[in-house]
């Protein structure tokens, strides 16, 4: 199993779970007669750490480096947003890295099953930076006084028509000198490269123990709810929102992460 042990150990190191508490994702291993649309329900939340590590190439690197970015960007007395926090992996990584006073992390997700488990993860350990875990749609929450905002594989689940407006609010809610991290599954403008990276992702899933049936059933369920954009489209949206420039800081196959900075006030 490619990197499986390492990835699992990483999650355990940030959550401090005993290994017996990580449930294996076998949700789609048997044929499902009527495949509905994908939802982040109770069953997905229960296996999510195993699912995301076996499905998203580079996930553990991205999560740990979001912590490193937090150490660099989070300012005293500011807010940090984790939009679409799921079980709180990015929140935990950032909380561990923040070494300034008076900050608050706002972790938001609209899945009750994710929010319930996220609260339990966060509450299990004491740390100086408080975390509010909020059950809400990220399109509805106020964003203000932020030094860092993370969208770690969340924007892809919003209606494409709503994405620009959310990024506009992200820009407006960031303080000068703040950073946004946007991780996504990408589509590609070049068909040949797009097909190669898509196939490499499937190879990654197979190497992590998923069968052809699991891969294809999940793909059909995601079809109507996860609309991917190209890196170029993401960069254009971030620039349109007000960010002077956005850059890829991580990519593995068709998954990756962008960073964009709001200029300091006097620039
Ligand atoms: C792939 S998961 C994110 C993984 C997570 N950020 C991490 O680092 O482990 C996407 C999450 O976004 C949430 N989500 C999708 N659309 C949302 C919305 N409109 N408002 C709030 N949360 C949303 C889902 O419930 C799900 O938990
Ligand atoms: O594209 C896929 O096949 C995925 O599994 C991707 C993805 C994601 O990027 O969020 C989709 C749903 C799950 O949350 C885990 C991974």
């Amino acid at each position: 199993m490619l990197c499986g042990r390492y990835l699992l150990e990483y999650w355990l190191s940030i959550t401090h779970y005993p290994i017996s508490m990580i449930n294996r994702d076998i949700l789609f291993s048997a044929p499902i007669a009527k495949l509905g649309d994908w939802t982040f329900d109770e069953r997905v939340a229960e296996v999510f750490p195993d699912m995301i590590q076996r499905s998203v190439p580079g996930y553990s690197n991205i999560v740990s480096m979001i912590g490193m970015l937090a150490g660099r960007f989070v300012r005293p007395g500011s807010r940090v947003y984790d939009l679409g926090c799921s079980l709180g992996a990015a929140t935990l990584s950032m909380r561990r890295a923040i070494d300034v006073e008076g900050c608050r992390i706002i972790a938001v997700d609209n899945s009750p099953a994710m929010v319930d488990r996220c609260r339990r993860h966060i509450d299990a350990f004491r740390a100086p930076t408080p975390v509010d875990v909020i059950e809400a749609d990220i399109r509805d929450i106020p964003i203000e006084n932020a030094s860092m905002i993370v969208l770690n594989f969340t924007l892809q689940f919003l209606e494409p028509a709503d994405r620009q407006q959310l990024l506009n609010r992200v820009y407006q809610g960031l303080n000068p000198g703040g950073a946004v991290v946007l991780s996504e599954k990408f589509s590609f403008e070049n068909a040949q490269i797009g097909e190669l990276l898509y196939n490499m992702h499937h190879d990654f899933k197979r190497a992590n123990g998923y069968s052809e049936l699991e891969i294809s059933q999940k793909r059909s369920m995601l079809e109507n709810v996860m609309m991917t954009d190209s890196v170029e489209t993401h960069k254009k949206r971030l620039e349109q929102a007000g960010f002077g420039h956005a850059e890829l800081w991580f990519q593995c196959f068709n998954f990756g992460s962008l960073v964009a900075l709001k200029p300091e006030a006097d620039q």
Side-chain angles (χ1 to χ4, degrees):
M1 190 167 73
L2 184 75
C3 303
R5 184 80 204 171
Y6 166 74
L7 293 171
L8 215 51
E9 274 167 11
Y10 178 75
W11 178 262
L12 298 175
S13 82
I14 56 174
T15 60
H16 308 265
Y17 282 170
I19 198 153
S20 58
M21 280 178 68
I22 302 280
N23 295 322
R24 189 158 174 91
D25 169 23
I26 49 163
L27 295 184
F28 312 109
S29 57
I32 299 171
K34 251 186 120 188
L35 287 172
D37 276 347
W38 179 266
T39 54
F40 288 96
D41 59 12
E42 193 69 40
R43 296 174 70 232
V44 168
E46 201 176 2
V47 299
F48 194 69
D50 180 67
M51 171 188 282
I52 196 146
Q53 283 160 5
R54 289 166 63 212
S55 302
V56 176
Y59 173 76
S60 65
N61 295 82
I62 292 173
V63 169
S64 68
M65 284 162 202
I66 282 173
M68 291 171 69
L69 287 162
R72 181 175 281 271
F73 281 99
V74 176
R75 294 280 171 267
S78 69
R79 292 182 177 191
V80 176
Y81 289 85
D82 181 3
L83 303 179
C85 60
S86 296
L87 302 179
T91 290
L92 286 166
S93 179
M94 292 192 286
R95 186 173 70 165
R96 205 159 68 161
I98 294 171
D99 63 357
V100 293
E101 290 187 359
C103 309
R104 197 162 199 97
I105 303 178
I106 319 289
V108 186
D109 204 290
N110 64 356
S111 155
M114 290 291 192
V115 166
D116 176 52
R117 284 175 170 74
C118 184
R119 287 197 177 119
R120 283 189 265 146
H121 295 177
I122 304 295
D123 290 349
F125 306 98
R126 256 199 293 254
T129 304
V131 179
D132 297 328
V133 183
I134 299 173
E135 185 185 320
D137 193 305
I138 55 173
R139 289 167 290 196
D140 299 335
I141 54 135
I143 302 177
E144 55 203 14
N145 184 28
S147 54
M148 181 159 167
I149 301 176
V150 171
L151 289 138
N152 204 33
F153 303 105
T154 304
L155 196 72
Q156 61 200 14
F157 292 104
L158 250 55
E159 292 289 334
D162 294 345
R163 295 178 186 180
Q164 184 66 58
Q165 207 188 355
L166 179 71
L167 294 179
N168 293 349
R169 292 202 303 110
V170 161
Y171 183 80
Q172 286 151 18
L174 268 179
N175 294 335
V180 60
V181 174
L182 173 63
S183 314
E184 291 274 292
K185 182 179 185 179
F186 300 127
S187 50
F188 291 85
E189 292 178 3
N190 179 287
Q192 209 182 355
I193 292 293
E195 193 185 337
L196 171 68
L197 299 180
Y198 180 87
N199 289 336
M200 298 284 285
H201 175 226
H202 282 193
D203 290 347
F204 172 86
K205 284 193 166 188
R206 280 184 209 106
N208 281 329
Y210 283 121
S211 67
E212 299 305 320
L213 180 69
E214 286 174 295
I215 294 171
S216 78
Q217 293 196 127
K218 191 178 181 195
R219 188 186 49 218
S220 329
M221 294 178 77
L222 283 167
E223 213 152 51
N224 297 325
V225 289
M226 192 175 91
M227 254 70 89
T228 57
D229 291 314
S230 64
V231 174
E232 291 80 3
T233 298
H234 286 299
K235 285 186 174 179
K236 275 187 209 135
R237 272 207 204 97
L238 287 162
E239 283 161 21
Q240 170 83 26
F243 294 97
H245 183 68
E247 200 51 77
L248 256 186
W249 63 271
F250 184 92
Q251 185 175 343
C252 184
F253 309 138
N254 49 348
F255 287 77
S257 191
L258 291 136
V259 65
L261 310 178
K262 184 159 178 171
E264 296 287 353
D266 55 1
Q267 283 183 341

